[in-house]
Amino acid sequence: MKKGFIGLVFLWVTQICCAQFSLRSDQPIKLACDNAEEKVVQTALKLFIRDYQSVFSASAAVDARQGNIIVGTVGKSPLLKAVSADVSALTGKKQAFLLQVLPDGKLLVAGSDSHGTAYGIMELSRLIGVSPWEWWADVTPEKKTSFVLSAEYQTLQSPSVEYRGIFINDEDWGLMPWSSQTYEPSDIKGHIGPKTNARIFELLLRLRANTYWPAMHECTLPFFLTEGNRKVAEEYGIFIGSSHCEPMVCSAAGEWRRRGQGDYDYVNNSASVYKFWEDRVKEVAQQGNIYTLGMRGVHDGQMQGAKTVAEQKAVLERVLKDQRGLLQKYGNKDVTAIPQAFIPYKEVLDIYNAGLQVPDDVTLIWCDDNYGYIRHFPTAEERARKGGNGIYYHVSYWGRPHDYLWLGTFSPYLLHQQMKLAYDRGIQK
């Protein structure tokens, strides 16, 4: 009898110490999250609350102190100190998250930084059955009556590439008219506003992407000249960058005729071009940006004022020095702490191969040949650079002599093969 009694006590204690995490359609829940968490975390919480309502037809709310789900960023959230979970595995990782069922049956969502925490929240949305494409591809979530994670459940995830995202290019025929005429009607010519960008950024956040090069053709009002766009980028934790011909997050094609004076020429009109860049850096220095360095023509052409490769190289050396001076003056005295990129695209690759010295902390972004084949893979010396390497790969293209704007002229497998080859050869920044 004693033996049997001891066995029953043991089983009861086991159930108390190792409870599973469960959600039910008749169960409102609370998510405990400190109010001081970054905007991207707050945005992810709002998305999850919407997802929970869609799946379980029940309410969810955020509480600063207690809840069924404990959400927090390492080093920032006091809530993590109150739970017994070991979050040391997140130390030293960027954008990483840990999901773990706690002994009391609550779920911990911890991030190594704010992006990691937000991705952890979105992982929970994915687990309950919400596709990242639920809006863009009309993937309606399936209704559920219950959801369970076992008492032993734990997942630790982190990205293998630090900056991941898309370039909205050749928007003339698709995104811009759809946005300005249908989804977000506007009397402003070429308007792609915050409502449209919020939908794009939501998809990126759900897919764990964090980087965006905005549309930049002359037909479109530039991103930073459109009210509300900066704010929505901050809310979704999106790093704003710019393409191979758009240095210092300035859309030269769309902005020079609005803000510039004279020719876009750093040989004969450097003071005006410098001010053009300076005004933008002063405006956005405290936002999350990846600054493209260098200079080309106003729109995807060779720079003005310099003809030979040697002349262009001399101009670019001066440009790089002046641009980094602006970042140091308005952004961070330690300029190496600011994300920067240099893109050897088209004729700029010839200049780079002629011996142009790019600062070691600047990421080199290599390009394909516009038809799916990467033109250059980093050498051992380039792989060892502090700034690392990136890739700019066309899945659509508008340019002479052949356009492919809707259906690519190469196979999906070629894209996979080339991108995997790029990663395996050290393009991982």
Side-chain angles (χ1 to χ4, degrees):
M1 194 66 187
K2 280 187 177 180
K3 196 170 184 179
F5 179 73
I6 292 172
L8 288 172
V9 171
F10 175 76
L11 287 173
W12 180 76
V13 172
T14 301
Q15 290 171 352
I16 291 296
C17 293
C18 301
Q20 63 186 13
F21 171 75
S22 62
L23 301 172
R24 297 195 311 270
S25 58
D26 60 349
Q27 178 189 58
I29 63 165
K30 285 187 177 181
L31 299 97
C33 184
D34 190 75
N35 293 328
E37 289 283 355
E38 299 287 342
K39 290 180 181 178
V40 66
V41 176
Q42 305 295 343
T43 298
L45 287 169
K46 291 176 184 177
L47 293 177
F48 178 78
I49 289 171
R50 190 178 83 198
D51 295 343
Y52 187 81
Q53 172 66 34
S54 296
V55 173
F56 294 104
S57 301
S59 64
V62 177
D63 190 290
R65 291 176 292 182
Q66 59 183 356
N68 314 63
I69 303 169
I70 313 298
V71 177
T73 302
V74 173
K76 292 185 177 180
S77 175
L79 295 171
L80 297 185
K81 297 178 181 178
V83 300
S84 57
D86 179 8
V87 296
S88 61
L90 294 169
T91 304
K93 290 183 169 64
K94 294 182 179 180
Q95 304 165 33
F97 65 82
L98 170 70
L99 265 63
Q100 180 178 343
V101 176
L102 300 174
D104 59 2
K106 295 180 180 180
L107 181 67
L108 174 69
V109 180
S112 62
D113 51 33
S114 59
H115 280 85
T117 305
Y119 299 147
I121 297 167
M122 291 293 87
E123 171 69 359
L124 184 54
S125 281
R126 189 190 68 80
L127 288 172
I128 65 173
V130 180
S131 166
W133 296 92
E134 58 95 21
W135 189 83
W136 283 96
D138 298 320
V139 187
T140 303
E142 180 183 342
K143 293 287 186 180
K144 292 184 178 180
T145 57
S146 64
F147 170 81
V148 172
L149 291 176
S150 72
E152 295 78 27
Y153 179 83
Q154 178 177 312
T155 181
L156 174 68
Q157 300 182 37
S158 60
S160 56
V161 175
E162 187 170 349
Y163 297 103
R164 312 161 301 279
I166 58 173
F167 175 18
I168 295 291
N169 199 9
D170 305 329
E171 73 280 5
D172 313 41
W173 62 278
L175 181 70
M176 187 275 290
W178 172 78
S179 173
S180 62
Q181 298 172 25
T182 303
Y183 186 67
E184 192 174 4
S186 174
D187 294 330
I188 301 172
K189 185 178 179 181
H191 187 262
I192 301 177
K195 181 181 176 183
T196 301
N197 280 309
R199 282 298 188 182
I200 296 171
F201 296 163
E202 177 186 335
L203 176 63
L204 294 181
L205 179 59
R206 288 182 182 275
L207 291 171
R208 303 174 195 171
N210 59 8
T211 304
Y212 185 70
W213 291 359
M216 44 66 73
H217 281 207
E218 290 94 330
C219 67
T220 301
L221 184 66
F223 182 88
F224 283 114
L225 299 186
T226 302
E227 186 177 355
N229 279 351
R230 281 181 60 190
K231 179 182 178 183
V232 78
E234 291 175 335
E235 289 174 354
Y236 285 85
I238 303 298
F239 294 98
I240 300 299
S242 51
S243 77
H244 47 82
C245 52
E246 311 295 330
M248 310 303 279
V249 291
C250 293
S251 175
E255 291 189 59
W256 180 255
R257 56 190 167 89
R258 291 178 169 90
R259 300 196 294 114
Q261 293 184 339
D263 293 330
Y264 190 64
D265 181 338
Y266 215 67
V267 176
N268 302 300
N269 192 29
S270 60
S272 293
V273 177
Y274 183 90
K275 185 178 186 302
F276 178 68
W277 295 334
E278 182 178 34
D279 289 345
R280 174 55 44 74
V281 174
K282 282 195 293 186
E283 177 190 3
V284 304
Q286 304 310 312
Q287 184 172 330
N289 299 309
I290 303 171
Y291 293 90
T292 293
L293 305 184
M295 185 178 187
R296 297 184 71 221
V298 168
H299 190 167
D300 206 3
Q302 181 176 309
M303 70 168 65
Q304 292 180 246
K307 296 182 179 179
T308 68
V309 170
E311 290 173 349
Q312 293 170 355
K313 178 172 172 284
V315 176
L316 278 181
E317 288 171 346
R318 180 181 165 204
V319 164
L320 293 176
K321 180 180 178 182
D322 290 350
Q323 289 173 338
R324 282 167 67 84
L326 285 172
L327 295 177
Q328 195 169 35
K329 180 177 181 180
Y330 296 107
N332 192 325
K333 290 183 178 179
D334 178 11
V335 72
T336 66
I338 300 174
Q340 300 158 70
F342 182 80
I343 308 172
Y345 183 56
K346 292 186 176 178
E347 81 285 347
V348 182
L349 181 59
D350 296 330
I351 302 170
Y352 176 82
N353 288 335
L356 178 69
Q357 295 299 305
V358 179
D360 186 66
D361 58 282
V362 176
T363 302
L364 297 175
I365 298 186
W366 306 103
C367 309
D368 73 306
D369 62 356
N370 304 329
Y371 300 102
Y373 291 91
I374 297 170
R375 295 188 64 187
H376 176 93
F377 294 98
T379 63
E381 182 179 359
E382 289 161 346
R383 287 196 299 271
R385 292 169 49 84
K386 178 183 176 183
N389 295 267
I391 193 72
Y392 164 37
Y393 193 93
H394 293 80
V395 292
S396 70
Y397 179 72
W398 187 5
R400 298 181 182 92
H402 303 295
D403 300 333
Y404 55 96
L405 293 176
W406 190 251
L407 293 176
T409 56
F410 57 88
S411 73
Y413 181 76
L414 176 63
L415 189 155
H416 171 271
Q417 184 269 340
Q418 287 284 292
M419 295 299 282
K420 184 178 187 304
L421 187 61
Y423 181 85
D424 291 342
R425 292 193 179 184
I427 299 180
Q428 300 176 5
K429 182 72 169 182

PDB file of all heavy atoms in Angstrom, residues 309-321:
ATOM      1  N   VAL A 309      38.369  54.774 -66.741  1.00  0.00           N
ATOM      2  CA  VAL A 309      38.316  54.017 -65.482  1.00  0.00           C
ATOM      3  C   VAL A 309      39.184  54.687 -64.424  1.00  0.00           C
ATOM      4  O   VAL A 309      38.804  54.786 -63.247  1.00  0.00           O
ATOM      5  CB  VAL A 309      38.751  52.556 -65.716  1.00  0.00           C
ATOM      6  CG1 VAL A 309      38.946  51.833 -64.381  1.00  0.00           C
ATOM      7  CG2 VAL A 309      37.709  51.815 -66.552  1.00  0.00           C
ATOM      8  N   ALA A 310      40.347  55.178 -64.836  1.00  0.00           N
ATOM      9  CA  ALA A 310      41.247  55.843 -63.881  1.00  0.00           C
ATOM     10  C   ALA A 310      40.606  57.103 -63.308  1.00  0.00           C
ATOM     11  O   ALA A 310      40.715  57.383 -62.098  1.00  0.00           O
ATOM     12  CB  ALA A 310      42.571  56.178 -64.567  1.00  0.00           C
ATOM     13  N   GLU A 311      39.932  57.873 -64.156  1.00  0.00           N
ATOM     14  CA  GLU A 311      39.258  59.088 -63.672  1.00  0.00           C
ATOM     15  C   GLU A 311      38.110  58.737 -62.733  1.00  0.00           C
ATOM     16  O   GLU A 311      37.917  59.382 -61.690  1.00  0.00           O
ATOM     17  CB  GLU A 311      38.732  59.890 -64.875  1.00  0.00           C
ATOM     18  CG  GLU A 311      39.819  60.535 -65.718  1.00  0.00           C
ATOM     19  CD  GLU A 311      39.257  61.169 -66.978  1.00  0.00           C
ATOM     20  OE1 GLU A 311      38.067  60.921 -67.296  1.00  0.00           O
ATOM     21  OE2 GLU A 311      40.007  61.897 -67.659  1.00  0.00           O
ATOM     22  N   GLN A 312      37.336  57.733 -63.084  1.00  0.00           N
ATOM     23  CA  GLN A 312      36.227  57.314 -62.236  1.00  0.00           C
ATOM     24  C   GLN A 312      36.721  56.796 -60.892  1.00  0.00           C
ATOM     25  O   GLN A 312      36.107  57.056 -59.845  1.00  0.00           O
ATOM     26  CB  GLN A 312      35.411  56.242 -62.967  1.00  0.00           C
ATOM     27  CG  GLN A 312      34.690  56.752 -64.191  1.00  0.00           C
ATOM     28  CD  GLN A 312      34.100  55.638 -65.031  1.00  0.00           C
ATOM     29  OE1 GLN A 312      34.311  54.457 -64.756  1.00  0.00           O
ATOM     30  NE2 GLN A 312      33.362  55.992 -66.065  1.00  0.00           N
ATOM     31  N   LYS A 313      37.812  56.083 -60.905  1.00  0.00           N
ATOM     32  CA  LYS A 313      38.396  55.562 -59.670  1.00  0.00           C
ATOM     33  C   LYS A 313      38.807  56.708 -58.744  1.00  0.00           C
ATOM     34  O   LYS A 313      38.544  56.677 -57.533  1.00  0.00           O
ATOM     35  CB  LYS A 313      39.606  54.684 -59.991  1.00  0.00           C
ATOM     36  CG  LYS A 313      40.346  54.118 -58.789  1.00  0.00           C
ATOM     37  CD  LYS A 313      41.389  53.115 -59.247  1.00  0.00           C
ATOM     38  CE  LYS A 313      42.288  52.659 -58.110  1.00  0.00           C
ATOM     39  NZ  LYS A 313      43.286  53.713 -57.758  1.00  0.00           N
ATOM     40  N   ALA A 314      39.415  57.751 -59.310  1.00  0.00           N
ATOM     41  CA  ALA A 314      39.834  58.901 -58.505  1.00  0.00           C
ATOM     42  C   ALA A 314      38.627  59.602 -57.882  1.00  0.00           C
ATOM     43  O   ALA A 314      38.662  60.013 -56.714  1.00  0.00           O
ATOM     44  CB  ALA A 314      40.630  59.876 -59.376  1.00  0.00           C
ATOM     45  N   VAL A 315      37.532  59.719 -58.659  1.00  0.00           N
ATOM     46  CA  VAL A 315      36.320  60.346 -58.126  1.00  0.00           C
ATOM     47  C   VAL A 315      35.731  59.497 -57.012  1.00  0.00           C
ATOM     48  O   VAL A 315      35.341  60.015 -55.949  1.00  0.00           O
ATOM     49  CB  VAL A 315      35.287  60.567 -59.246  1.00  0.00           C
ATOM     50  CG1 VAL A 315      33.982  61.124 -58.656  1.00  0.00           C
ATOM     51  CG2 VAL A 315      35.821  61.517 -60.301  1.00  0.00           C
ATOM     52  N   LEU A 316      35.653  58.179 -57.209  1.00  0.00           N
ATOM     53  CA  LEU A 316      35.057  57.302 -56.196  1.00  0.00           C
ATOM     54  C   LEU A 316      35.863  57.309 -54.902  1.00  0.00           C
ATOM     55  O   LEU A 316      35.288  57.218 -53.811  1.00  0.00           O
ATOM     56  CB  LEU A 316      34.928  55.878 -56.735  1.00  0.00           C
ATOM     57  CG  LEU A 316      33.704  55.598 -57.615  1.00  0.00           C
ATOM     58  CD1 LEU A 316      33.675  54.151 -58.055  1.00  0.00           C
ATOM     59  CD2 LEU A 316      32.407  55.943 -56.886  1.00  0.00           C
ATOM     60  N   GLU A 317      37.164  57.396 -54.982  1.00  0.00           N
ATOM     61  CA  GLU A 317      37.986  57.464 -53.760  1.00  0.00           C
ATOM     62  C   GLU A 317      37.612  58.692 -52.934  1.00  0.00           C
ATOM     63  O   GLU A 317      37.496  58.623 -51.706  1.00  0.00           O
ATOM     64  CB  GLU A 317      39.464  57.488 -54.141  1.00  0.00           C
ATOM     65  CG  GLU A 317      39.983  56.152 -54.651  1.00  0.00           C
ATOM     66  CD  GLU A 317      41.383  56.239 -55.233  1.00  0.00           C
ATOM     67  OE1 GLU A 317      41.853  57.383 -55.484  1.00  0.00           O
ATOM     68  OE2 GLU A 317      41.997  55.178 -55.445  1.00  0.00           O
ATOM     69  N   ARG A 318      37.402  59.814 -53.604  1.00  0.00           N
ATOM     70  CA  ARG A 318      36.990  61.040 -52.926  1.00  0.00           C
ATOM     71  C   ARG A 318      35.574  60.910 -52.391  1.00  0.00           C
ATOM     72  O   ARG A 318      35.269  61.334 -51.266  1.00  0.00           O
ATOM     73  CB  ARG A 318      37.093  62.203 -53.915  1.00  0.00           C
ATOM     74  CG  ARG A 318      36.693  63.550 -53.354  1.00  0.00           C
ATOM     75  CD  ARG A 318      36.806  64.604 -54.443  1.00  0.00           C
ATOM     76  NE  ARG A 318      36.115  65.832 -54.074  1.00  0.00           N
ATOM     77  CZ  ARG A 318      35.668  66.714 -54.946  1.00  0.00           C
ATOM     78  NH1 ARG A 318      35.837  66.502 -56.242  1.00  0.00           N
ATOM     79  NH2 ARG A 318      35.046  67.815 -54.549  1.00  0.00           N
ATOM     80  N   VAL A 319      34.682  60.321 -53.185  1.00  0.00           N
ATOM     81  CA  VAL A 319      33.284  60.133 -52.784  1.00  0.00           C
ATOM     82  C   VAL A 319      33.194  59.282 -51.518  1.00  0.00           C
ATOM     83  O   VAL A 319      32.474  59.628 -50.566  1.00  0.00           O
ATOM     84  CB  VAL A 319      32.474  59.493 -53.930  1.00  0.00           C
ATOM     85  CG1 VAL A 319      31.149  58.946 -53.420  1.00  0.00           C
ATOM     86  CG2 VAL A 319      32.223  60.506 -55.041  1.00  0.00           C
ATOM     87  N   LEU A 320      33.904  58.161 -51.492  1.00  0.00           N
ATOM     88  CA  LEU A 320      33.866  57.279 -50.323  1.00  0.00           C
ATOM     89  C   LEU A 320      34.322  58.011 -49.066  1.00  0.00           C
ATOM     90  O   LEU A 320      33.715  57.876 -47.999  1.00  0.00           O
ATOM     91  CB  LEU A 320      34.729  56.045 -50.566  1.00  0.00           C
ATOM     92  CG  LEU A 320      34.256  55.070 -51.650  1.00  0.00           C
ATOM     93  CD1 LEU A 320      35.259  53.944 -51.834  1.00  0.00           C
ATOM     94  CD2 LEU A 320      32.895  54.497 -51.321  1.00  0.00           C
ATOM     95  N   LYS A 321      35.369  58.776 -49.183  1.00  0.00           N
ATOM     96  CA  LYS A 321      35.884  59.518 -48.029  1.00  0.00           C
ATOM     97  C   LYS A 321      34.858  60.532 -47.532  1.00  0.00           C
ATOM     98  O   LYS A 321      34.592  60.642 -46.320  1.00  0.00           O
ATOM     99  CB  LYS A 321      37.185  60.223 -48.404  1.00  0.00           C
ATOM    100  CG  LYS A 321      37.801  61.020 -47.266  1.00  0.00           C
ATOM    101  CD  LYS A 321      39.086  61.707 -47.709  1.00  0.00           C
ATOM    102  CE  LYS A 321      39.666  62.555 -46.575  1.00  0.00           C
ATOM    103  NZ  LYS A 321      40.910  63.271 -47.009  1.00  0.00           N
TER     104      LYS A 321
END
